[in-house]
Amino acid sequence: MSHHSYLIVGAGAFGASTAYHLIKKFPSASITLIDRSSFPCPLAASYDWNKIVRADYGDPFYTQLATKARETWKSDRLYSPFYHQSGLVNVGSDDLGTRMLDNYKSLGIETEAEIVGVRELVQRYPLLQDCDYSAVTKCYVNPSSGWAEAAMALKEVIQTAVRDGVRYVEGTVAKLVFDEAGDCSGVQLQDGRVFKAARVILSTGANTPKLLADSAPRRPEIQSEDRIVAAAVITATVKLTQEQAEKYKDVPVFIHRAGGIDGEILPPTPEGVLKFCRDISFTNKGQHPELSKIISSPPTDQPNEGQKTPPQDLRDEIDRVKKDLFGKQADEMDFDQYRVCW
């Protein structure tokens, strides 16, 4: 087994990016990327119409890291075809916008971001006029932020990695394999195949706690405990008519976390898909049969982990977000797809 051999489990954003950068840095290395289906896997959180690309955070570490990522989305030939600089509006506590601006300043990062009043915001974005602003007096606006076509970008990254020498394997990992010293040396798939490498990297997202519990229930030192808790949010999309797509084409990324709304709008995609997100996470807890502890994990006993068939209470939650953010304009929109995103 080569010292420069890597086994990456999970081909979502983290796994695909890891494979891509490893093969660039070590072109002669043996790198295997495994996921449950052909790529991109539709169960991955990154398999989505779009994801927000921003550096607007209250945490300076996030701001610094995300600024580099945002610039890569803008300038790198691999990513830039999928990036859209729509601008971003964040409505939250009045001090959040100030903290985000202070982070840019303290890090020496130039920004076009600013804080404006509700009246000025509505003048800039008339389609947001019916939103509930009763809990705020100021809004944060950054015209330099935007969003990315997530699934399309993910597919391109994996294809590029494979062209450069990464081996892609389709299969569901049943458990981790350990050597005599107790170190992880590989994985065993549900069909019995075993893959080993000098380094095993888990990019398994919400499935990580369950995978660790399934693999070594009698080894408490490797269990996730409260360090990793699987959680999900509910999203829904509207397929806009041609007339609606023209009307909403200039909508920015809109994050509203004031007054109990806790929702997001992502601008229309080139296909005319407008996405909403209820930005409050929830868990799916149950007792693991061998670990004898409560863990949260996606409902793997349901088809597609139940991602396409959320219960009615979650549908009601995302419908309320649509109405809170667009007011009476929401009456002209009907959701055509729902998703529980883990």
Side-chain angles (χ1 to χ4, degrees), residues 86 125 127-128 247-253 265 267-268 274 326:
S86 62
Y125 301 107
L127 289 173
L128 303 180
K247 176 180 178 180
Y248 292 100
K249 67 179 182 179
D250 295 324
V251 168
V253 171
I265 301 170
L274 183 67
F326 271 137

Side-chain angles (χ1 to χ4, degrees), residues 8 90 117 140 145 151 158 185 194 198 203 208 259 269-270 290 302 329:
I8 304 166
N90 194 320
Y140 176 92
S145 297
I158 299 175
S185 58
V194 173
S203 299
T208 305
T269 67
E290 294 184 73
Q302 297 182 23
Q329 297 173 99

